[in-house]
Amino acid sequence: MKTWIKVILGFLLMHSAMAQDRNPFKKEYFVSGVDTLKYRVLWPGNFSKARQYPVVLFLHGAGERGYDNEKQLVHGSKLFLEERDNYPAIVIFPQCPENDYWANVEKKITDDGRIFLFQNGGSPNKSLALVSGLLDKFLNESYVDKRRVYVGGLSMGGMGTFELVSRRPDTFAAAFAICGGGHPESAKRYAGKVPFWVFHGADDDVVPPKHSEIMVEAIKKAGGDVKFTLYPDTNHNSWDKAFAEPELLSWLFSNKKQTTN
């Protein structure tokens, strides 16, 4: 009887592994020193190292943190998979550990609700530093079009998007941030270099929309290119509407750096 149980369990485990292998977003690991960053990557159909492809880095929200290398695909992955043939690209979904954050930010509760205090400059936290290292790993490959590197994210990932672009303004051709925020002074480092599309829900009580509004005004003031979409009657989940924007990917992939870096 025990033998049959082992056989059945073995079959189930094999079937589960095969099912995971069929996931177009392949499980990978980036190791830097003693630290490891788990991530998923979607390769273009009929990928060839003889060609060059854009890279899209997507940063998930706080609810998708963990260690399973799966939850980060909950939001956004469907869009890139559905548009895989229309926009062949290398799409990277890293996963932030449960006890970390993408951005250097302090959250406070006040009488006026939640506010986020963003750090301007300084060193990145461990997870964002690993993301930057992972990105460099891909940028060193000949099949990456370094003129077409993009980043986007939602909530915590939107905050990470603003911070990563401020740290690497010469890397990205365009960025989009959904219900995020950042330090307004940091906008001076990338305004005029990296166009942004910013999204937020007008009724967001998790990350107040003023954080996106502040960044949009800061980018404009610094002479940058920014689009802003504020969804009325929408709380924190503004990402479903943002992902449904018919021009999001066409806008994103239309941007190119003038020179390689």
Side-chain angles (χ1 to χ4, degrees):
M1 187 68 177
K2 289 182 179 179
T3 302
W4 279 108
I5 291 175
K6 289 181 180 179
V7 170
I8 293 171
L9 287 175
F11 175 79
L12 291 174
L13 288 172
M14 182 180 69
H15 181 75
S16 176
M18 289 175 64
Q20 284 206 352
D21 287 343
R22 288 198 294 268
N23 190 323
F25 283 86
K26 300 304 180 184
K27 281 187 174 183
E28 299 289 351
Y29 304 87
F30 173 70
V31 178
S32 177
V34 298
D35 299 313
T36 299
L37 179 70
K38 296 180 179 181
Y39 70 97
R40 295 280 192 134
V41 59
L42 176 70
W43 296 95
N46 299 316
F47 171 78
S48 169
K49 289 187 177 181
R51 295 181 56 188
Q52 286 195 323
Y53 301 92
V55 167
V56 180
L57 175 67
F58 186 82
L59 303 178
H60 63 78
E64 292 74 63
R65 289 177 295 180
Y67 305 95
D68 61 359
N69 207 2
E70 293 183 11
K71 284 195 294 185
Q72 74 266 39
L73 297 178
V74 170
H75 304 298
S77 62
K78 181 180 177 182
L79 171 65
F80 291 104
L81 184 58
E82 289 178 342
E83 297 292 339
R84 187 183 192 182
D85 293 336
N86 295 325
Y87 301 100
I90 302 166
V91 185
I92 307 166
F93 273 65
Q95 185 178 36
C96 183
E98 190 76 38
N99 60 349
D100 208 356
Y101 217 73
W102 290 133
N104 278 322
V105 57
E106 180 184 358
K107 182 175 69 176
K108 287 190 174 183
I109 306 296
T110 70
D111 293 338
D112 296 326
R114 295 188 182 195
I115 60 170
F116 293 81
L117 304 176
F118 298 92
Q119 177 178 306
N120 182 30
S123 299
N125 60 32
K126 182 187 293 185
S127 292
L128 196 67
L130 285 169
V131 166
S132 189
L134 171 63
L135 185 58
D136 284 334
K137 172 182 177 293
F138 278 91
L139 292 178
N140 286 329
E141 300 292 350
S142 61
Y143 51 75
V144 168
D145 185 348
K146 298 174 181 61
R147 301 168 302 164
R148 303 179 69 196
V149 180
Y150 312 103
V151 61
L154 63 89
S155 195
M156 176 187 78
M159 299 172 189
T161 296
F162 280 118
E163 182 172 328
L164 190 59
V165 172
S166 74
R167 295 182 181 281
R168 306 188 57 149
D170 296 322
T171 296
F172 299 104
F176 64 94
I178 306 169
C179 56
H183 197 292
E185 287 298 312
S186 69
K188 296 175 183 177
R189 295 196 283 273
Y190 55 81
K193 292 184 176 182
V194 184
F196 259 86
W197 194 345
V198 178
F199 305 88
H200 219 116
D203 297 336
D204 194 330
D205 59 4
V206 178
V207 180
K210 69 178 181 181
H211 288 297
S212 281
E213 293 168 350
I214 287 171
M215 292 308 295
V216 168
E217 289 306 311
I219 294 171
K220 287 181 178 179
K221 185 177 179 180
D225 179 8
V226 58
K227 294 158 62 78
F228 183 38
T229 301
L230 185 66
Y231 297 112
D233 304 317
T234 301
N235 203 304
H236 191 50
N237 180 5
S238 51
W239 49 84
D240 283 345
K241 291 183 177 179
F243 292 142
E245 290 284 348
E247 296 181 359
L248 174 58
L249 292 189
S250 61
W251 170 83
L252 187 71
F253 287 105
S254 70
N255 290 284
K256 294 182 181 180
K257 285 290 188 186
Q258 295 302 308
T259 57
T260 57
N261 47 358

